[in-house]
Amino acid sequence: QLAAYGLDVERDTPEILASRIRESAIREQLTRRFDAWAHFRRSHELGAWHKLVRSAELADPHATRCRIRRAWAASDVEKLRALAASPVKLEEAWTVSLLAHYLSSNRDIAIKVLRDALTRFPSDFAISHDLACALRVLDDPPHDEIVRLATMGIAILPDSAHARADLAYSLMAAGRDGEAEQLLASMRADHPGYTRTWRYTAWSARYRGEWGRAADAYRRALTIGDDANDHAWLGFSLEQLGELDEAQSHMRRAVALSDHGQLAHFCFGELLMRLGRAAEAKLHLRRACEFDPTHALSHGQLGVVLSRQGRLREAVAEFEIAAGHSPGDSQFRMRSLSALELIEQESVLDELRAG
């Protein structure tokens, strides 16, 4: 997509990138994309984010937004908080959106900034969208408010596939599956070339256990773009259908494509467990844990593989990590206790043999 605007992030210098962004008819959208990409790459420790921030700063020399970018790049949270407390500095919706994005680790402040901004910029799609995104990751998301914000987004951009996809996702998360499916049906008619149309159709099918329909939708999504997560979920859907050879093919493609490969490695690791290929499964599940150390199921499944290999002490460690990240789920603690019992039994047998 960026190549269409003459942008080659790998090859070009920040100065060249900024010059081409400034010459574009969609300067603001491209700059915002660079800011969001920088945030993603830094959050996932992928490197090269400094170049993206510098390019955005050169493309958009707005004084307050440059201060926000510099404070974020320097991890100066206090300066970001100070800017959040200064409404005079937040005179544009773009500025508010950027600050809230870079304050995402300070969720309560970011949400307050966006809620205040919504009253000042009620017709700005980015503000309502960003607030909905911030609310979705709360421990107890306010689904009614999120649906209301997504509905506002459609009122602002009635012909936008992006806005309609946001509402479909919000309705599914709120358990309003019938409304979501009606909206997705209209998107399949109006926006068949939009990836999220098919991705969310697949999600809706997965929730219903309609794995064949989910697989078909992921295949449609992959005709639009070669995406690692779509390959991973297609592989998972095919696994549920018993089509294991094709599932493996898509899992391998997911791993090959993915920079941030937690989902790809986790799904492939689970499939390899089912195929009895413990050594390979262990490697992929370890990689999944490295990409997301807080994902309880990755640690739990790694513990299962290790226990099957007789590496019980290592298994206990993984089960305990899983339990720590999923305190409401007793399965990991029970598996840890079972492994500890086996270790104790082995110790008793060793003593008897020695005696």
Side-chain angles (χ1 to χ4, degrees), residues 126-148:
I127 297 296
S128 60
H129 170 77
D130 291 349
L131 178 54
C133 290
L135 294 172
R136 281 192 190 105
V137 297
L138 295 175
D139 293 336
D140 185 18
H143 290 297
D144 288 344
E145 182 180 2
I146 294 168
V147 169
R148 179 177 62 81

Side-chain angles (χ1 to χ4, degrees), residues 5 19 127 176 198 202 222 293 315:
Y5 301 98
S19 174
I127 297 296
R176 294 162 63 172
W198 301 105
L222 286 167

Side-chain angles (χ1 to χ4, degrees), residues 7 14 56 63 112 137 143 193 216 230-231 250 271 285-286 327 330 340 352:
L7 299 171
K112 182 181 184 304
V137 297
H143 290 297
D216 289 342
D230 289 338
H231 277 289
H250 285 286
L271 174 58
L285 291 169
R286 281 202 191 281
S330 63
L340 285 169
L352 289 172

Side-chain angles (χ1 to χ4, degrees), residues 50-127:
H50 287 94
K51 184 178 185 179
L52 296 166
V53 173
R54 180 59 179 160
S55 301
E57 186 177 344
L58 291 170
D60 171 44
H62 183 278
T64 302
R65 288 195 287 273
C66 284
R67 281 197 288 273
I68 291 169
R69 293 185 184 103
R70 290 168 191 162
W72 176 75
S75 301
D76 191 341
V77 177
E78 291 306 315
K79 184 170 286 186
L80 291 173
R81 287 175 176 168
L83 286 164
S86 177
V88 175
K89 301 286 187 185
L90 305 179
E91 72 281 6
E92 295 181 24
W94 180 2
T95 308
V96 176
S97 180
L98 179 66
L99 177 60
H101 199 65
Y102 283 161
L103 274 169
S104 58
S105 59
N106 292 257
R107 199 176 298 157
D108 291 344
I109 298 175
I111 289 172
K112 182 181 184 304
V113 166
L114 289 167
R115 279 195 168 129
D116 290 345
L118 192 63
T119 62
R120 290 192 291 142
F121 309 108
S123 61
D124 188 89
F125 175 79
I127 297 296

